PDB file of all heavy atoms in Angstrom:
ATOM      1  N   GLY H   5     -28.495  60.128 -16.844  1.00 56.00           N
ATOM      2  CA  GLY H   5     -28.554  61.437 -16.229  1.00 56.00           C
ATOM      3  C   GLY H   5     -29.884  62.123 -16.443  1.00 56.00           C
ATOM      4  O   GLY H   5     -30.649  61.738 -17.405  1.00 56.00           O
ATOM      5  N   SER H  19     -46.838  67.433 -16.164  1.00 97.00           N
ATOM      6  CA  SER H  19     -45.422  67.480 -15.847  1.00 97.00           C
ATOM      7  C   SER H  19     -44.664  66.588 -16.807  1.00 97.00           C
ATOM      8  O   SER H  19     -45.147  65.517 -17.250  1.00 97.00           O
ATOM      9  CB  SER H  19     -45.159  66.952 -14.409  1.00 97.00           C
ATOM     10  OG  SER H  19     -45.916  67.685 -13.483  1.00 97.00           O
ATOM     11  N   ALA H  29     -26.777  49.622 -25.317  1.00 83.00           N
ATOM     12  CA  ALA H  29     -27.124  48.181 -25.234  1.00 83.00           C
ATOM     13  C   ALA H  29     -28.242  47.912 -24.288  1.00 83.00           C
ATOM     14  O   ALA H  29     -28.803  46.840 -24.292  1.00 83.00           O
ATOM     15  CB  ALA H  29     -25.885  47.388 -24.887  1.00 83.00           C
ATOM     16  N   TYR H  32     -34.079  47.970 -21.295  1.00 92.00           N
ATOM     17  CA  TYR H  32     -35.189  48.062 -20.387  1.00 92.00           C
ATOM     18  C   TYR H  32     -34.917  49.249 -19.507  1.00 92.00           C
ATOM     19  O   TYR H  32     -33.870  49.462 -18.922  1.00 92.00           O
ATOM     20  CB  TYR H  32     -35.239  46.752 -19.560  1.00 92.00           C
ATOM     21  CG  TYR H  32     -36.382  46.660 -18.549  1.00 92.00           C
ATOM     22  CD1 TYR H  32     -37.686  46.787 -18.943  1.00 92.00           C
ATOM     23  CD2 TYR H  32     -36.133  46.385 -17.219  1.00 92.00           C
ATOM     24  CE1 TYR H  32     -38.712  46.757 -18.054  1.00 92.00           C
ATOM     25  CE2 TYR H  32     -37.183  46.242 -16.301  1.00 92.00           C
ATOM     26  CZ  TYR H  32     -38.487  46.423 -16.736  1.00 92.00           C
ATOM     27  OH  TYR H  32     -39.536  46.330 -15.794  1.00 92.00           O
ATOM     28  N   ARG H  51     -39.641  48.761 -22.590  1.00 93.00           N
ATOM     29  CA  ARG H  51     -38.587  48.000 -23.258  1.00 93.00           C
ATOM     30  C   ARG H  51     -38.170  48.770 -24.496  1.00 93.00           C
ATOM     31  O   ARG H  51     -38.917  49.539 -25.045  1.00 93.00           O
ATOM     32  CB  ARG H  51     -39.087  46.577 -23.573  1.00 93.00           C
ATOM     33  CG  ARG H  51     -39.445  45.816 -22.268  1.00 93.00           C
ATOM     34  CD  ARG H  51     -39.369  44.325 -22.394  1.00 93.00           C
ATOM     35  NE  ARG H  51     -39.631  43.678 -21.154  1.00 93.00           N
ATOM     36  CZ  ARG H  51     -38.710  43.395 -20.268  1.00 93.00           C
ATOM     37  NH1 ARG H  51     -37.451  43.660 -20.486  1.00 93.00           N
ATOM     38  NH2 ARG H  51     -39.031  42.844 -19.125  1.00 93.00           N
ATOM     39  N   GLN H  58     -48.196  53.700 -21.801  1.00 97.00           N
ATOM     40  CA  GLN H  58     -49.052  54.519 -20.956  1.00 97.00           C
ATOM     41  C   GLN H  58     -49.545  53.712 -19.747  1.00 97.00           C
ATOM     42  O   GLN H  58     -49.825  52.541 -19.812  1.00 97.00           O
ATOM     43  CB  GLN H  58     -50.261  55.007 -21.770  1.00 97.00           C
ATOM     44  CG  GLN H  58     -49.911  56.131 -22.733  1.00 97.00           C
ATOM     45  CD  GLN H  58     -51.130  56.623 -23.481  1.00 97.00           C
ATOM     46  OE1 GLN H  58     -51.743  55.909 -24.254  1.00 97.00           O
ATOM     47  NE2 GLN H  58     -51.493  57.840 -23.239  1.00 97.00           N
ATOM     48  N   GLY H  59     -49.652  54.474 -18.638  1.00 95.00           N
ATOM     49  CA  GLY H  59     -50.211  53.909 -17.410  1.00 95.00           C
ATOM     50  C   GLY H  59     -51.329  54.829 -16.938  1.00 95.00           C
ATOM     51  O   GLY H  59     -51.865  55.603 -17.759  1.00 95.00           O
ATOM     52  N   HIS H  72     -32.912  59.111 -25.153  1.00 94.00           N
ATOM     53  CA  HIS H  72     -33.690  60.047 -24.274  1.00 94.00           C
ATOM     54  C   HIS H  72     -34.930  59.343 -23.796  1.00 94.00           C
ATOM     55  O   HIS H  72     -35.614  58.611 -24.525  1.00 94.00           O
ATOM     56  CB  HIS H  72     -33.991  61.291 -25.046  1.00 94.00           C
ATOM     57  CG  HIS H  72     -34.706  62.294 -24.180  1.00 94.00           C
ATOM     58  ND1 HIS H  72     -36.059  62.416 -24.109  1.00 94.00           N
ATOM     59  CD2 HIS H  72     -34.198  63.285 -23.384  1.00 94.00           C
ATOM     60  CE1 HIS H  72     -36.374  63.433 -23.342  1.00 94.00           C
ATOM     61  NE2 HIS H  72     -35.296  63.941 -22.846  1.00 94.00           N
ATOM     62  N   SER H  74     -38.492  60.018 -21.257  1.00 97.00           N
ATOM     63  CA  SER H  74     -39.249  61.056 -20.493  1.00 97.00           C
ATOM     64  C   SER H  74     -40.417  60.408 -19.821  1.00 97.00           C
ATOM     65  O   SER H  74     -40.982  59.362 -20.220  1.00 97.00           O
ATOM     66  CB  SER H  74     -39.685  62.147 -21.465  1.00 97.00           C
ATOM     67  OG  SER H  74     -40.671  61.675 -22.326  1.00 97.00           O
ATOM     68  N   ALA H  78     -49.921  63.407 -16.193  1.00 97.00           N
ATOM     69  CA  ALA H  78     -51.053  64.272 -16.577  1.00 97.00           C
ATOM     70  C   ALA H  78     -51.815  64.734 -15.339  1.00 97.00           C
ATOM     71  O   ALA H  78     -51.882  64.017 -14.299  1.00 97.00           O
ATOM     72  CB  ALA H  78     -52.061  63.448 -17.430  1.00 97.00           C
ATOM     73  N   ALA H  79     -52.295  65.945 -15.399  1.00 97.00           N
ATOM     74  CA  ALA H  79     -53.080  66.520 -14.324  1.00 97.00           C
ATOM     75  C   ALA H  79     -52.384  66.327 -12.994  1.00 97.00           C
ATOM     76  O   ALA H  79     -52.913  65.673 -12.035  1.00 97.00           O
ATOM     77  CB  ALA H  79     -54.445  65.917 -14.293  1.00 97.00           C
ATOM     78  N   SER H  85     -45.864  65.024  -5.738  1.00 97.00           N
ATOM     79  CA  SER H  85     -44.638  65.650  -5.273  1.00 97.00           C
ATOM     80  C   SER H  85     -43.685  64.557  -4.728  1.00 97.00           C
ATOM     81  O   SER H  85     -44.024  63.793  -3.809  1.00 97.00           O
ATOM     82  CB  SER H  85     -44.900  66.659  -4.193  1.00 97.00           C
ATOM     83  OG  SER H  85     -45.640  67.797  -4.696  1.00 97.00           O
ATOM     84  N   LEU H 107     -39.849  66.849  -8.066  1.00 96.00           N
ATOM     85  CA  LEU H 107     -41.033  67.482  -8.563  1.00 96.00           C
ATOM     86  C   LEU H 107     -41.815  68.061  -7.396  1.00 96.00           C
ATOM     87  O   LEU H 107     -42.109  67.394  -6.440  1.00 96.00           O
ATOM     88  CB  LEU H 107     -41.936  66.424  -9.268  1.00 96.00           C
ATOM     89  CG  LEU H 107     -43.287  66.952  -9.777  1.00 96.00           C
ATOM     90  CD1 LEU H 107     -43.146  67.998 -10.846  1.00 96.00           C
ATOM     91  CD2 LEU H 107     -44.158  65.791 -10.292  1.00 96.00           C
TER      92      LEU H 107
END
Side-chain angles (χ1 to χ4, degrees):
Chain H
S19 302
Y32 183 55
R51 298 204 176 270
Q58 286 184 292
H72 185 266
S74 69
S85 294
L107 175 65

